[in-house]
Amino acid sequence: MKQRIFILLTAIALGVTTFSGKPGGSPNPDPSVTTVSISFSGAFALYPLVQTWAAEYNKTHPDIRFDIQAGGAGKGLTDCLAGAVDVGMFSRELTDAEKAKGVWTLALCRDAVLPTYNAKNANAKSIQIRGVKRAEFNSIFADHTITTWEQLLGTTSKSPHKINVYTRADAAGAADSWAAFFGKKQENLKGLGVSGDPGVADAVRKDLNAIGYNNTLFVYDPKTGKKLPGIDVVPIDVNGNGTIDPDENFYDNLRIFLKAVNDGKYPSPPARNLYFITKGKTNNKDILDFFKWVLTDGQQFVSVAGYVALPKGTVQDQIKKLGK
């Protein structure tokens, strides 16, 4: 068991996983049984859940081999359109131009992007009490008219602490969803570019004055529900009254936060749907069977893995799309 946990943790860090129900991924001992490969590429946000789904699906479908790579939603879209993978993992809404290329989508679940900072920030207590308004996030991440923590909090210091902004260097659904929260796009975000969700989280942990943004499961441990070491959430002052009210204070653990996303208390964006995408609707029966399993039996793993389930009506609409 310890070895399996180590392998999974290593895979998450590398963003590459291969699953097969056969021992050691060895060739099928029965030559009459054909192994089928399904490849995925894309959003870090969806990567942990697809790993879970693949492992569970292999228990009843051992002849399916899953190759899963995390590289950001932009890479997933590019790989999908180029035919480099069967399925893209996607974490934002498609643009009209992308829809015009014939991209087919299947909604799966919801998660959110969270603003993050170093847990040992010298102003942590004030940040937690006051929170940050939508317009202030725009001033930090896009306009750069707020450049120190003291300027943000309205305090003075002989040695002000510069806000070091980290953003995604790769085309990322997380970046687009975060920028959309204050009416901007990923290309409007300024700061030091870092590749991948793990990269941004690591940069925030190493820099006492950092601010960044991360997908939910790079902030919280899905098993314990606690925040991961060294990183904390910048609470959003949703109503803009200059303080975090009780109904805005839902960041202590993952379950409380996901309930806030489900109840609509956490704004959308940066909460968003997560998708599988293909270049046109696939006719591959093995892929369609896996999609149907994800929307039926696979839904039991959504909340356990740290995501928010879609409303039942929305799930039924997605199942109907598979049959059309």
Side-chain angles (χ1 to χ4, degrees):
M1 177 61 78
K2 288 183 178 179
Q3 184 181 17
R4 178 172 174 77
I5 291 171
F6 173 77
I7 291 171
L8 284 173
L9 291 174
T10 303
I12 289 171
L14 295 174
V16 180
T17 306
T18 298
F19 281 100
S20 171
K22 296 170 187 167
S26 59
N28 194 331
D30 183 351
S32 67
V33 179
T34 303
T35 298
V36 176
S37 293
I38 305 177
S39 54
F40 298 76
S41 166
F44 282 93
L46 197 49
Y47 179 64
L49 181 55
V50 177
Q51 285 181 305
T52 298
W53 278 334
E56 294 297 329
Y57 194 70
N58 268 155
K59 292 178 180 177
T60 52
H61 299 78
D63 296 321
I64 301 294
R65 177 188 171 91
F66 292 95
D67 294 309
I68 310 164
Q69 299 183 41
K75 185 176 189 309
L77 177 62
T78 299
D79 287 347
C80 179
L81 290 174
V85 296
D86 298 306
V87 183
M89 303 181 291
F90 209 62
S91 56
R92 61 169 173 78
E93 300 301 318
L94 288 169
T95 66
D96 289 341
E98 290 164 348
K99 291 177 182 175
K101 295 178 181 177
V103 179
W104 185 84
T105 64
L106 192 69
L108 308 167
C109 59
R110 287 176 67 75
D111 85 333
V113 180
L114 292 144
T116 52
Y117 73 117
N118 189 293
K120 293 183 179 179
N121 185 299
N123 294 287
K125 186 174 181 180
S126 297
I127 294 167
Q128 290 298 315
I129 294 173
R130 180 190 180 277
V132 177
K133 302 172 185 175
R134 184 192 305 256
E136 292 170 334
F137 281 119
N138 180 67
S139 298
I140 295 169
F141 281 91
D143 295 345
H144 273 201
T145 52
I146 295 177
T147 58
T148 70
W149 288 103
E150 287 76 13
Q151 182 185 3
L152 170 68
L153 300 169
T155 59
T156 58
S157 172
K158 293 181 179 178
S159 302
H161 298 82
K162 182 184 176 184
I163 300 176
N164 297 325
V165 180
Y166 292 90
T167 187
R168 290 283 290 274
D170 51 311
D176 265 322
S177 297
W178 177 238
F181 172 53
F182 39 87
K184 296 292 173 59
K185 297 183 179 298
Q186 178 175 359
E187 53 264 35
N188 302 124
L189 299 179
K190 299 175 182 176
L192 182 61
V194 182
S195 292
D197 226 320
V200 174
D202 190 50
V204 170
R205 285 193 187 91
K206 292 178 178 176
D207 185 341
L208 291 174
N209 293 308
I211 192 168
Y213 52 86
N214 288 96
N215 293 309
T216 308
L217 293 185
F218 291 86
V219 178
Y220 294 98
D221 183 329
K223 292 184 178 178
T224 66
K226 296 179 180 177
K227 292 170 197 165
L228 294 168
I231 199 166
D232 207 339
V233 179
V234 181
I236 297 178
D237 181 8
V238 178
N239 61 18
N241 68 350
T243 189
I244 295 300
D245 297 323
D247 65 350
E248 296 171 322
N249 188 8
F250 38 67
Y251 300 100
D252 276 352
N253 68 62
L254 178 60
R255 301 304 164 199
I256 295 174
F257 174 68
L258 293 180
K259 186 176 186 306
V261 173
N262 187 58
D263 294 344
K265 290 184 177 180
Y266 191 75
S268 179
R272 72 288 172 74
N273 287 350
L274 301 176
Y275 299 91
F276 282 154
I277 59 173
T278 56
K279 185 179 180 182
K281 182 186 172 186
T282 181
N283 293 317
N284 185 310
K285 184 179 181 303
D286 294 300
I287 295 176
L288 290 173
D289 286 347
F290 177 65
F291 285 175
K292 186 175 181 179
W293 180 90
V294 162
L295 293 171
T296 52
D297 294 347
Q299 288 294 295
Q300 65 184 293
F301 304 106
V302 169
S303 60
V304 176
Y307 298 78
V308 175
L310 294 173
K312 290 183 179 179
T314 303
V315 174
Q316 288 303 313
D317 289 343
Q318 302 308 299
I319 293 174
K320 289 178 182 176
K321 287 178 69 175
L322 297 175
K324 291 181 180 177

